[in-house]
């Protein structure tokens, strides 16, 4: 390399800088193309449909999830939101079971600085590698559904992964198994004959914050608008 | 549609980026802002007597940038693994870019500082002045002949190269802190490119304020000879002019931002409400607007007050406080909007982290003052007489 000084003029310096930047850019593109190609064509696409008409609000899914995944007190991978709408005697109870949407374009995955959050290319499930996570909280903030938390036991990010240790053995996720009203239907969205695909083709499907274009893989059926899309003006009115 | 709704069961998630992260982003923007303001002022004045202030505006930001990772480390649950960011690099993550930008920024600042102090250190070694042995070690024993001005002339290209690189990395650092917030897709308050401009304006105002405060402290602790002192006081008064325009720019950007929020649906309106009448309204109106913008603007508008030491110091401290609360209001305020229920999220008390942040600030202040006694900020008298 030439010594910077009289031997190197500005044009030469800018040319060198440009070449380095182009080489770096090309390197990054080559490195990432393989990952993107893998992520774009999963063989399976695990997803869930939740029929809110069938949910009875027993919180069995919450307890099953906690016991299956050893989720500590105060944090939840899966839980049920409940509201009451209307005035007595015309009141209606609405329930919305919640879990990680394992989005196809997951903001948490995009924002994770270490790649601790990753997607298994064969089924599209989003995971957290506890050995790589630095606990920077970025993914917790990046998730537009508040589905992530820092596990107080491990000090790393945590979230629902559809009970990956069960589904890879042909079992159903713990919450689906425990659901009293059979409100949760789990399966491969790429298989047109799976129960979940048939359900999706039969009913009008809703999703959480669909305008963000994160392509969530947890869908809802018969969910009330008041519980699905919260009326934020309520907060400023109070 | 307008039926009464009662929320029976939900989960509160709290605020995960607290005051320590706000402190981190504020200090980075202030440090690079001080450096940029100084460099542009130097390009404008092209005066030898500005050099001591340029050293203040380069070396002190370097100290800030060096200690900033500690604030991040105390916020992480596994800081011991943070080196993994470099080889498990995820190019879509803002923090991953920051992991490269910030250390490179520190490197450029360090080289630029070295070249700024190098001629004076060489003269001090040759003349056997106090701390000559320390300077000899820093110079790795390579002592050149000639006056400080001649040595500076010889190293001009290298000095200019590092100065230019610091400009590039300073702007990259500002883009990084802005994008760090704007990357959060679901957070309507910060998910906007305005964040980058917000941090640039905050950097300009808090950077100019930093220069006034630390420049005045320098002239008090290690005063230069009287003709240089008069000039430096004039430069410091002129930083008040930069502060005035930076505050006006900040006001304009905040007005545009709040208007933009009001046209960004219900979530945007709620985000604006958080500042104007919601949970962050006291911090917004009292600290950010009145203390951080209006009072200092009134103080720097009048030329006589800009030259007054007390008034300019008061204005600079107020601006720095206001800039800190601006960052905190954005960072914490954006997380107060609940995503899964209709209660404001709460920031849990974090006494340990806040105390740690304050200790880091105190250490920085001590290092600033200590550096005035150790490093050769002032131009050597011999250099001037020869020149």
């Amino acid at each position: 390399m030439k010594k910077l000084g009289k031997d190197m003029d500005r044009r030469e310096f800018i040319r060198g800088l440009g070449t380095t930047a182009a080489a770096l850019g090309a390197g990054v593109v080559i490195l990432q193309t393989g990952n993107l190609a893998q992520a774009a064509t999963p063989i399976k696409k695990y997803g869930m449909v939740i029929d809110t008409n069938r949910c009875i609000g027993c919180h069995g899914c919450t307890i099953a999830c906690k016991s299956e995944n050893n989720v500590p007190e105060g944090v939840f991978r899966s839980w049920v939101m409940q509201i009451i709408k209307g005035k007595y005697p015309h009141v209606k109870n609405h329930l919305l079971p919640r879990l990680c949407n394992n989005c196809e374009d997951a903001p948490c995955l995009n924002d994770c600085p270490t790649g601790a959050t990753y997607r298994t290319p064969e089924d599209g499930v989003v995971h957290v590698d506890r050995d790589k996570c630095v606990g920077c909280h970025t993914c917790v903030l990046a998730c537009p559904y508040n589905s992530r938390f820092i596990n107080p036991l491990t000090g790393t990010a945590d979230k629902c992964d559809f009970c990956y240790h069960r589904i890879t053995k042909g079992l159903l996720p713990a919450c689906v198994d425990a659901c009293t009203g059979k409100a949760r239907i789990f399966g491969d969205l790429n298989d047109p004959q799976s129960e979940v695909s048939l359900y999706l083709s039969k009913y009008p499907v809703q999703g959480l914050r669909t305008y963000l274009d994160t392509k969530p893989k947890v869908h809802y059926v018969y969910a009330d608008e008041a519980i699905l899309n919260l009326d934020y003006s309520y907060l400023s009115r109070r | 549609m307008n039926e009464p709704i009662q929320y029976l069961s939900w989960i509160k998630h709290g605020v995960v980026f607290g005051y320590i992260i706000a402190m981190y982003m504020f200090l980075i923007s202030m440090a690079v802002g001080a450096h940029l303001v100084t460099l542009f002022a130097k390009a404008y004045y092209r005066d030898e007597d500005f050099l001591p202030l340029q050293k203040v505006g380069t070396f002190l930001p370097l100290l800030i940038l060096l200690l900033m990772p500690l604030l991040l480390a105390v916020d992480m649950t596994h800081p011991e693994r943070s080196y993994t960011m470099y080889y498990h690099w995820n190019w879509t993550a803002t923090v991953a870019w920051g992991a490269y930008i910030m250390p490179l920024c520190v490197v450029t600042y360090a080289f630029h500082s070295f070249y700024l102090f190098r001629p004076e250190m060489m003269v001090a070694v040759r003349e056997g002045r106090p701390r000559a042995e320390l300077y000899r070690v820093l110079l790795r024993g390579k002592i050149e002949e000639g006056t400080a001005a001649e040595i500076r002339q010889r190293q001009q290209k290298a000095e200019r190269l590092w100065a230019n690189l610091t400009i590039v990395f300073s702007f990259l650092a500002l883009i990084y802190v802005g994008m760090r917030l704007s990357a959060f897709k679901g957070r309507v308050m910060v998910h906007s490119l305005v964040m980058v401009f917000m941090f640039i304006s905050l950097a300009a105002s808090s950077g100019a304020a930093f220069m006034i405060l630390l420049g005045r402290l320098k002239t008090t602790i290690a005063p230069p000879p009287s003709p240089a002192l008069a000039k430096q006081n004039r430069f410091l008064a002129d930083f008040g002019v930069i502060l005035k325009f930076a505050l006006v720019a900040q006001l304009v950007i905040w007005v545009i931002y709040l208007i933009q929020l009001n046209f960004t649906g219900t979530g945007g309106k709620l985000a604006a409400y958080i500042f104007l009448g919601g949970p962050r309204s006291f911090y917004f109106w009292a600290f950010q607007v009145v203390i951080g913008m209006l009072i200092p603007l009134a103080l720097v508008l009048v030329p006589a007050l800009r030259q007054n030491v007390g008034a300019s110091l008061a204005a600079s401290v107020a601006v720095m406080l206001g800039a800190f609360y601006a960052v905190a209001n954005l960072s914490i305020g954006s997380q107060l909007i609940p995503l899964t229920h209709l209660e404001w999220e709460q920031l849990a008390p974090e006494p340990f982290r806040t105390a740690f942040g304050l200790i880091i600030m105190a250490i920085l202040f001590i290092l600033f003052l200590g550096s005035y006694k150790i490093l050769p900020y002032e131009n050597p008298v011999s250099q001037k007489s020869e020149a």
Side-chain angles (χ1 to χ4, degrees):
Chain A
M1 190 186 158
K2 278 184 187 174
K3 191 185 169 190
L4 188 77
K6 284 176 186 172
D7 298 341
M8 184 184 262
D9 62 10
R10 189 177 297 169
R11 189 170 295 180
E12 207 175 330
F13 174 72
I14 291 169
R15 199 183 299 142
L17 204 66
T19 315
T20 315
L24 278 175
V28 167
V29 169
I30 290 164
L31 280 173
Q32 296 295 332
T33 312
N35 297 345
L36 291 176
Q38 274 186 326
T41 53
I43 304 157
K44 285 183 177 176
K45 190 163 101 178
Y46 284 131
M48 195 182 281
V49 178
I50 299 173
D51 187 337
T52 56
N53 253 0
R54 289 191 188 176
C55 178
I56 59 167
C58 67
H59 298 270
C61 51
T62 313
I63 294 158
C65 173
K66 274 196 166 275
S67 98
E68 179 69 34
N69 296 298
N70 193 22
V71 182
E73 200 180 332
V75 286
F76 299 87
R77 282 185 175 200
S78 176
W79 53 283
V80 182
M81 184 181 179
Q82 187 175 6
I83 66 166
I84 284 182
K85 209 169 114 178
K87 244 181 177 174
Y88 181 79
H90 306 290
V91 287
K92 275 187 94 176
N93 184 28
H94 294 284
L95 297 146
L96 193 78
R98 294 290 309 270
L99 68 161
C100 170
N101 289 304
N102 283 277
C103 306
E104 285 182 64
D105 185 10
C108 57
L109 194 149
N110 294 338
D111 271 355
C112 176
T114 60
T117 298
Y118 66 101
R119 192 194 315 277
T120 33
E122 60 273 19
D123 46 36
V125 177
V126 178
H127 306 264
V128 180
D129 183 341
R130 287 181 179 175
D131 294 328
K132 277 189 197 170
C133 178
V134 293
C136 66
H137 304 93
T138 307
C139 59
V140 179
L141 256 177
C143 176
Y145 309 103
N146 257 352
S147 297
R148 282 178 167 252
F149 56 91
I150 294 289
N151 188 322
L153 293 178
T154 59
T156 57
D158 205 337
K159 65 166 208 77
C160 162
D161 58 0
F162 290 145
C163 287
Y164 202 67
H165 57 286
R166 288 174 61 94
I167 59 173
T168 44
K169 287 177 186 154
L171 299 169
L172 286 171
C175 59
V176 178
D177 240 2
C179 184
T180 321
K182 302 288 173 208
R184 292 178 182 234
I185 299 134
F186 177 80
D188 179 11
L189 297 169
N190 275 353
D191 175 6
Q193 295 309 312
S194 67
E195 194 188 349
V196 68
S197 296
L198 292 172
Y199 218 88
L200 280 175
S201 58
K202 202 169 161 189
Y203 296 97
V205 180
Q206 300 157 296
L208 286 165
R209 304 186 81 178
T210 44
Y211 56 88
L212 290 174
D213 206 24
T214 55
K215 302 187 187 92
K217 283 187 294 198
V218 173
H219 306 277
Y220 292 92
V221 172
Y222 294 129
D224 192 87
E225 269 303 303
I227 198 165
L228 204 61
N229 295 309
L230 299 176
D231 178 16
Y232 282 122
S233 59
Y234 171 81
L235 271 170
S236 51
R237 281 202 306 268
R238 279 195 304 173
Chain B
M1 180 69 191
N2 292 319
E3 290 167 293
I5 294 170
Q6 283 182 60
Y7 289 84
L8 295 189
S9 160
W10 67 85
I11 304 290
K12 280 202 142 194
H13 295 84
V15 171
V16 291
F17 275 8
Y19 276 105
I20 200 112
I21 291 292
M23 216 176 266
Y24 169 78
M25 290 191 286
F26 158 69
L27 286 173
I28 285 181
S29 60
M30 184 178 74
V32 298
H35 182 59
L36 287 172
V37 163
T38 316
L39 271 186
F40 294 140
K42 171 70 174 37
Y44 174 73
Y45 290 119
R46 293 183 184 277
D47 192 311
E48 174 188 292
D49 284 313
F50 190 80
L51 268 172
L53 292 179
Q54 195 186 353
K55 289 172 187 166
V56 171
T58 307
F59 185 69
L60 303 191
L62 168 68
L63 292 177
I64 296 178
L65 295 179
L66 273 172
L67 289 189
M68 281 314 92
L70 290 177
L71 295 181
L72 268 192
V74 82
D75 191 63
M76 286 181 189
T77 49
H78 283 289
E80 77 281 3
R81 295 180 192 161
S82 47
Y83 65 91
T84 56
M85 282 186 210
Y86 294 96
Y87 64 90
H88 288 309
W89 194 64
N90 181 14
W91 69 281
T92 53
T94 323
V95 181
W97 285 92
Y100 279 94
I101 290 170
M102 294 318 298
L104 287 174
C105 195
V106 168
V107 169
T108 58
Y109 275 53
F111 274 100
H112 186 39
S113 301
F114 174 72
Y115 280 108
L116 280 177
F117 283 107
R118 189 170 169 263
E120 283 74 27
M121 286 200 289
M122 284 187 179
V123 172
V125 170
R126 278 207 320 266
E127 294 181 358
R129 290 188 190 172
R131 290 171 293 279
E133 282 313 305
L134 170 71
Y135 300 157
R136 189 186 292 278
V137 172
L138 289 173
L139 294 165
R140 292 177 299 151
K142 291 174 187 165
I143 314 297
E144 292 176 17
E145 290 301 315
T147 62
E150 284 164 356
I151 299 168
R152 180 155 281 117
Q153 187 64 34
R154 285 199 294 272
Q155 64 169 30
Q156 197 190 23
K157 281 206 167 179
E159 192 183 316
R160 195 178 289 174
L161 170 79
W162 288 108
N164 288 337
L165 286 174
T166 58
I167 294 176
V168 173
F169 279 97
S170 300
F171 276 111
L172 284 176
L174 287 174
I175 292 170
Y176 155 62
V177 283
M179 295 287 280
R180 197 181 155 93
L181 285 183
S182 70
F184 299 131
K185 203 168 187 174
R187 313 278 171 174
V188 66
M189 186 187 278
V190 291
H191 185 48
S192 157
L193 198 62
V194 177
M195 283 306 113
V196 173
F197 297 99
M198 196 80 94
F199 274 97
I200 290 174
S201 78
L202 284 172
S205 58
S206 58
F210 179 85
M211 282 309 297
I212 294 171
L213 180 66
L214 273 301
R216 294 275 184 208
L217 277 174
K218 185 198 72 66
T219 51
T220 312
I221 292 172
S226 30
L229 180 65
K231 262 190 164 179
Q232 283 184 26
N233 281 337
R234 186 174 69 79
F235 295 141
L236 288 171
D238 285 355
F239 272 120
V241 181
I242 300 173
L243 184 57
K244 176 178 74 177
F245 288 114
L247 283 171
V248 171
Q250 199 179 317
L251 263 172
V252 170
I253 288 175
W254 270 91
V255 170
I256 292 171
Y257 169 64
L258 289 173
I259 291 171
Q260 185 204 25
L261 280 183
N262 264 303
F263 285 97
T264 320
T266 324
K269 282 196 175 69
L270 190 67
Y273 171 77
I274 285 179
F275 291 118
L276 305 174
R280 297 296 296 181
S281 58
F282 172 70
Y283 301 100
F284 177 74
W285 290 113
F287 288 103
Q288 204 184 318
V289 177
V290 177
I291 296 177
M293 286 192 220
L294 299 181
I295 292 175
L297 194 58
L299 287 173
V300 294
L301 268 177
V302 187
L305 286 175
R306 281 203 295 270
Q307 281 152 10
N308 181 291
V309 177
S312 61
L313 286 183
S316 57
V317 172
V319 166
M320 285 153 81
L321 192 68
F324 169 68
Y325 273 98
V327 178
N329 285 343
L330 285 170
S331 171
I332 296 169
S334 66
Q335 301 166 69
L336 296 180
I337 300 177
L339 299 180
T340 55
H341 56 87
L342 285 179
E343 294 269 331
W344 296 112
E345 292 286 3
Q346 303 283 333
L347 172 66
E350 36 185 15
F352 166 70
R353 288 178 182 179
T354 311
F356 184 82
L358 291 174
I359 289 168
I360 290 288
M361 293 247 235
I363 291 172
L364 276 172
F365 195 67
I366 293 166
L367 287 175
F368 293 163
L369 301 187
S371 82
Y372 290 155
K373 288 287 180 193
I374 294 167
L375 289 169
Y377 278 88
E378 297 305 325
N379 299 332
V381 181
S382 56
Q383 172 203 346
K384 285 191 165 179
S385 57
E386 284 166 43

